PDB file of all heavy atoms in Angstrom:
ATOM      1  N   LEU A 258     -41.028 -23.382  -0.676  1.00  0.00           N
ATOM      2  CA  LEU A 258     -41.672 -24.490   0.028  1.00  0.00           C
ATOM      3  C   LEU A 258     -40.969 -25.816  -0.228  1.00  0.00           C
ATOM      4  O   LEU A 258     -40.806 -26.617   0.705  1.00  0.00           O
ATOM      5  CB  LEU A 258     -43.142 -24.587  -0.391  1.00  0.00           C
ATOM      6  CG  LEU A 258     -43.995 -23.339  -0.147  1.00  0.00           C
ATOM      7  CD1 LEU A 258     -45.456 -23.627  -0.472  1.00  0.00           C
ATOM      8  CD2 LEU A 258     -43.858 -22.856   1.289  1.00  0.00           C
ATOM      9  N   SER A 259     -40.558 -26.079  -1.466  1.00  0.00           N
ATOM     10  CA  SER A 259     -39.890 -27.360  -1.713  1.00  0.00           C
ATOM     11  C   SER A 259     -38.573 -27.450  -0.949  1.00  0.00           C
ATOM     12  O   SER A 259     -38.142 -28.538  -0.566  1.00  0.00           O
ATOM     13  CB  SER A 259     -39.640 -27.560  -3.217  1.00  0.00           C
ATOM     14  OG  SER A 259     -38.733 -26.622  -3.737  1.00  0.00           O
ATOM     15  N   HIS A 260     -37.952 -26.303  -0.681  1.00  0.00           N
ATOM     16  CA  HIS A 260     -36.711 -26.293   0.090  1.00  0.00           C
ATOM     17  C   HIS A 260     -36.944 -26.589   1.573  1.00  0.00           C
ATOM     18  O   HIS A 260     -35.976 -26.765   2.319  1.00  0.00           O
ATOM     19  CB  HIS A 260     -36.022 -24.931  -0.037  1.00  0.00           C
ATOM     20  CG  HIS A 260     -35.407 -24.682  -1.380  1.00  0.00           C
ATOM     21  ND1 HIS A 260     -34.561 -23.628  -1.629  1.00  0.00           N
ATOM     22  CD2 HIS A 260     -35.507 -25.364  -2.555  1.00  0.00           C
ATOM     23  CE1 HIS A 260     -34.173 -23.658  -2.887  1.00  0.00           C
ATOM     24  NE2 HIS A 260     -34.741 -24.705  -3.471  1.00  0.00           N
ATOM     25  N   ARG A 261     -38.222 -26.615   1.979  1.00  0.00           N
ATOM     26  CA  ARG A 261     -38.561 -26.903   3.375  1.00  0.00           C
ATOM     27  C   ARG A 261     -39.400 -28.176   3.522  1.00  0.00           C
ATOM     28  O   ARG A 261     -39.899 -28.464   4.608  1.00  0.00           O
ATOM     29  CB  ARG A 261     -39.369 -25.739   3.975  1.00  0.00           C
ATOM     30  CG  ARG A 261     -38.551 -24.506   4.285  1.00  0.00           C
ATOM     31  CD  ARG A 261     -39.477 -23.387   4.791  1.00  0.00           C
ATOM     32  NE  ARG A 261     -38.726 -22.354   5.476  1.00  0.00           N
ATOM     33  CZ  ARG A 261     -38.008 -21.425   4.880  1.00  0.00           C
ATOM     34  NH1 ARG A 261     -37.952 -21.398   3.563  1.00  0.00           N
ATOM     35  NH2 ARG A 261     -37.342 -20.517   5.581  1.00  0.00           N
ATOM     36  N   ASP A 262     -39.567 -28.908   2.453  1.00  0.00           N
ATOM     37  CA  ASP A 262     -40.440 -30.083   2.463  1.00  0.00           C
ATOM     38  C   ASP A 262     -39.852 -31.150   3.385  1.00  0.00           C
ATOM     39  O   ASP A 262     -38.750 -31.657   3.142  1.00  0.00           O
ATOM     40  CB  ASP A 262     -40.560 -30.621   1.041  1.00  0.00           C
ATOM     41  CG  ASP A 262     -41.614 -31.703   0.920  1.00  0.00           C
ATOM     42  OD1 ASP A 262     -42.002 -32.291   1.954  1.00  0.00           O
ATOM     43  OD2 ASP A 262     -42.055 -31.975  -0.218  1.00  0.00           O
ATOM     44  N   PRO A 263     -40.575 -31.529   4.453  1.00  0.00           N
ATOM     45  CA  PRO A 263     -40.031 -32.532   5.382  1.00  0.00           C
ATOM     46  C   PRO A 263     -39.845 -33.907   4.744  1.00  0.00           C
ATOM     47  O   PRO A 263     -39.116 -34.743   5.290  1.00  0.00           O
ATOM     48  CB  PRO A 263     -41.069 -32.575   6.510  1.00  0.00           C
ATOM     49  CG  PRO A 263     -42.320 -32.013   5.920  1.00  0.00           C
ATOM     50  CD  PRO A 263     -41.894 -31.015   4.886  1.00  0.00           C
ATOM     51  N   ALA A 264     -40.483 -34.133   3.592  1.00  0.00           N
ATOM     52  CA  ALA A 264     -40.265 -35.406   2.900  1.00  0.00           C
ATOM     53  C   ALA A 264     -38.921 -35.431   2.167  1.00  0.00           C
ATOM     54  O   ALA A 264     -38.442 -36.502   1.807  1.00  0.00           O
ATOM     55  CB  ALA A 264     -41.401 -35.651   1.901  1.00  0.00           C
ATOM     56  N   LEU A 265     -38.315 -34.264   1.977  1.00  0.00           N
ATOM     57  CA  LEU A 265     -37.062 -34.184   1.237  1.00  0.00           C
ATOM     58  C   LEU A 265     -35.858 -33.870   2.115  1.00  0.00           C
ATOM     59  O   LEU A 265     -34.724 -34.176   1.744  1.00  0.00           O
ATOM     60  CB  LEU A 265     -37.169 -33.095   0.148  1.00  0.00           C
ATOM     61  CG  LEU A 265     -38.250 -33.277  -0.922  1.00  0.00           C
ATOM     62  CD1 LEU A 265     -38.269 -32.071  -1.849  1.00  0.00           C
ATOM     63  CD2 LEU A 265     -38.005 -34.556  -1.710  1.00  0.00           C
ATOM     64  N   TRP A 266     -36.111 -33.234   3.260  1.00  0.00           N
ATOM     65  CA  TRP A 266     -35.012 -32.707   4.059  1.00  0.00           C
ATOM     66  C   TRP A 266     -35.122 -33.163   5.511  1.00  0.00           C
ATOM     67  O   TRP A 266     -36.195 -33.101   6.106  1.00  0.00           O
ATOM     68  CB  TRP A 266     -35.009 -31.168   4.033  1.00  0.00           C
ATOM     69  CG  TRP A 266     -35.064 -30.590   2.656  1.00  0.00           C
ATOM     70  CD1 TRP A 266     -36.179 -30.217   1.963  1.00  0.00           C
ATOM     71  CD2 TRP A 266     -33.941 -30.338   1.790  1.00  0.00           C
ATOM     72  NE1 TRP A 266     -35.835 -29.746   0.728  1.00  0.00           N
ATOM     73  CE2 TRP A 266     -34.468 -29.808   0.593  1.00  0.00           C
ATOM     74  CE3 TRP A 266     -32.567 -30.508   1.928  1.00  0.00           C
ATOM     75  CZ2 TRP A 266     -33.640 -29.446  -0.470  1.00  0.00           C
ATOM     76  CZ3 TRP A 266     -31.750 -30.146   0.868  1.00  0.00           C
ATOM     77  CH2 TRP A 266     -32.287 -29.625  -0.310  1.00  0.00           C
TER      78      TRP A 266
END
Side-chain angles (χ1 to χ4, degrees):
L258 302 186
S259 65
H260 288 191
R261 286 176 162 77
D262 189 341
L265 300 176
W266 309 93

